[in-house]
Amino acid sequence: MDHPIILHYNSDETPEQGTQRLALLLLDHAEHFLQHAESLDIGLHETRKDFKKLRALLRLVRSGMNEETYKNANRALRDAARLLSDARDSAVLVESISLLGERHPDIFHDEGFQDIKLQLQTRHQQQLSILRTHRTTDQVLMVIKALKDTVHRWTLDKEDFSAFSAGIVKAYGRGITNRGIAREDTTADHLHEWRKRVKDLYYQLGYLQMIWPPVMLAWETALGELADLLGLDHDLAVLQQTLKSEESTATNLAGHRLLAGLVHEERSQLQSNAWSLGRRLYAEDPESFVSRLNSYWEAMTDPGSEVRSSIPGRSAGNTV
């Protein structure tokens, strides 16, 4: 479990077999890291990522699943992730201010910067203490075990690309919609919603890497880059909001405002890069995009096809 696990369907398995196999891989991975990670922070981060990947997997095949089975699994994953969110969010604030210090070493030794960083680190340790006191990870482990016992019931009524097409149409279409909303009204919440849809498509195309590895890997890499841009923007937006809400009580107002200004500059650049890349990735209509992927699937399943090729031992993104 210390080595990355490649997460994609295999060309010699049905969508149902692959979905169940991938789900168990992710649940096993989450369980392992929650129990054996070298730090609680790493365990929380890996577990929440695995839950996001699982929810993207469920959305990919939702059209062929029993709706109640889908809703129960999705709800369990969502609620379990929320149990860990406060501790993870406080860790992100520490990571964000540390990143700013690395990118702007001239402010690293500023007294105001160090004061704010210390405050955020203290709050994070408090959140970890709450987590330990309430034995929250034990609760999440119980959810993981219960889900593992239900995966065999994640059956699909479709055995070809149609098992995935509706899910991809929805993910790609929602990405277009949320990008448009964020472009029209650029709030942190709207950008975050767009990022969630980007991550869905990122994971889903990674799962389907086998239909044409070089092409799908390129898409996965580009979507991963876009998700990172939007993710960093969101982390800085949370830091920005924290700084704004605490400005009136800041002990070093000049340092506080210096840091807020740097956050604003960083977010502007990240958003500019995201708009440019997003325009390229969401240039098609959803139906055309999925039709093209379906053509890759048909070429893969043709015994005489040359599209089927070995998948590299490591993927650029969709690994655990």
Side-chain angles (χ1 to χ4, degrees):
M1 195 67 71
D2 293 331
H3 300 289
I5 301 171
I6 306 301
L7 292 171
H8 58 72
Y9 288 88
N10 294 325
S11 58
D12 60 353
E13 64 186 353
T14 66
E16 180 179 301
Q17 291 170 337
T19 299
Q20 293 179 359
R21 178 180 58 79
L22 291 169
L24 289 174
L25 276 174
L26 284 165
L27 290 168
D28 284 343
H29 187 266
E31 185 176 49
H32 172 82
F33 268 87
L34 209 50
Q35 292 177 309
H36 305 297
E38 62 184 77
S39 72
L40 182 54
D41 276 324
I42 293 174
L44 298 179
H45 183 47
E46 290 296 322
T47 299
R48 281 173 56 83
K49 280 202 306 183
D50 288 337
F51 287 173
K52 290 174 183 177
K53 292 174 183 178
L54 265 168
R55 295 183 72 190
L57 179 65
L58 284 166
R59 293 185 184 110
L60 177 62
V61 297
R62 179 178 182 175
S63 67
M65 286 185 75
N66 174 273
E67 185 64 13
E68 194 64 26
T69 300
Y70 165 82
K71 287 182 176 179
N72 288 340
N74 187 57
R75 187 185 306 115
L77 290 164
R78 180 200 64 199
D79 293 347
R82 284 176 178 171
L83 291 173
L84 308 175
S85 62
D86 287 345
R88 178 57 197 158
D89 291 347
S90 65
V92 167
L93 285 173
V94 175
E95 293 167 6
S96 297
I97 197 169
S98 297
L99 179 63
L100 281 176
E102 293 172 6
R103 291 173 65 86
H104 301 275
D106 51 311
I107 71 162
F108 184 77
H109 297 294
D110 180 85
E111 184 180 345
F113 176 85
Q114 291 298 328
D115 286 347
I116 296 169
K117 184 176 180 180
L118 180 58
Q119 290 172 16
L120 295 176
Q121 289 173 329
T122 301
R123 289 179 197 169
H124 176 53
Q125 290 305 315
Q126 291 171 345
Q127 287 296 331
L128 292 180
S129 295
I130 292 171
L131 208 67
R132 293 186 181 100
T133 300
H134 293 170
R135 301 179 66 86
T136 306
T137 56
D138 289 344
Q139 298 175 49
V140 175
L141 286 168
M142 290 176 62
V143 173
I144 291 173
K145 183 179 185 305
L147 280 169
K148 287 169 70 173
D149 291 339
T150 67
V151 167
H152 69 280
R153 295 201 294 271
W154 293 16
T155 57
L156 305 179
D157 60 14
K158 301 172 182 177
E159 296 187 355
D160 54 16
F161 188 75
S162 63
F164 311 117
S165 56
I168 299 173
V169 164
K170 188 169 185 178
Y172 193 86
R174 290 178 73 183
I176 293 173
T177 299
N178 285 110
R179 180 184 181 276
I181 292 171
R183 197 73 169 117
E184 183 72 22
D185 184 15
T186 309
T187 65
D189 286 343
H190 289 161
L191 286 165
H192 187 47
E193 284 301 312
W194 181 29
R195 178 188 183 246
K196 288 192 285 188
R197 305 291 72 85
V198 171
K199 290 290 280 189
D200 274 347
L201 189 64
Y202 164 70
Y203 291 136
Q204 290 171 359
L205 296 192
Y207 292 137
L208 297 175
Q209 191 184 116
M210 78 293 183
I211 65 176
W212 195 357
V215 172
M216 301 303 285
L217 190 56
W219 266 94
E220 188 184 355
T221 300
L223 285 165
E225 181 182 346
L226 178 57
D228 287 345
L229 290 169
L230 293 171
L232 285 172
D233 177 76
H234 176 69
D235 295 346
L236 290 174
V238 175
L239 178 59
Q240 188 175 51
Q241 182 58 42
T242 301
L243 293 171
K244 182 178 180 181
S245 65
E246 298 178 0
E247 183 175 278
S248 61
T249 59
T251 56
N252 186 323
L253 188 58
H256 200 91
R257 289 176 173 171
L258 172 63
L259 186 56
L262 288 175
V263 170
H264 177 76
E265 290 177 13
E266 291 283 337
R267 290 196 64 207
S268 295
Q269 186 59 56
L270 289 166
Q271 289 172 29
S272 176
N273 293 342
W275 297 133
S276 177
L277 183 54
R279 182 177 181 180
R280 293 176 173 86
L281 291 172
Y282 290 97
E284 297 179 71
D285 65 84
E287 288 73 20
S288 296
F289 179 71
V290 172
S291 177
R292 184 157 53 83
L293 297 186
N294 185 49
S295 297
Y296 301 163
W297 171 280
E298 291 176 351
M300 178 196 72
T301 55
D302 180 351
S305 171
E306 296 181 2
V307 170
R308 187 196 305 261
S309 63
S310 60
I311 296 177
R314 291 193 61 170
S315 160
N318 220 1
T319 62
V320 294

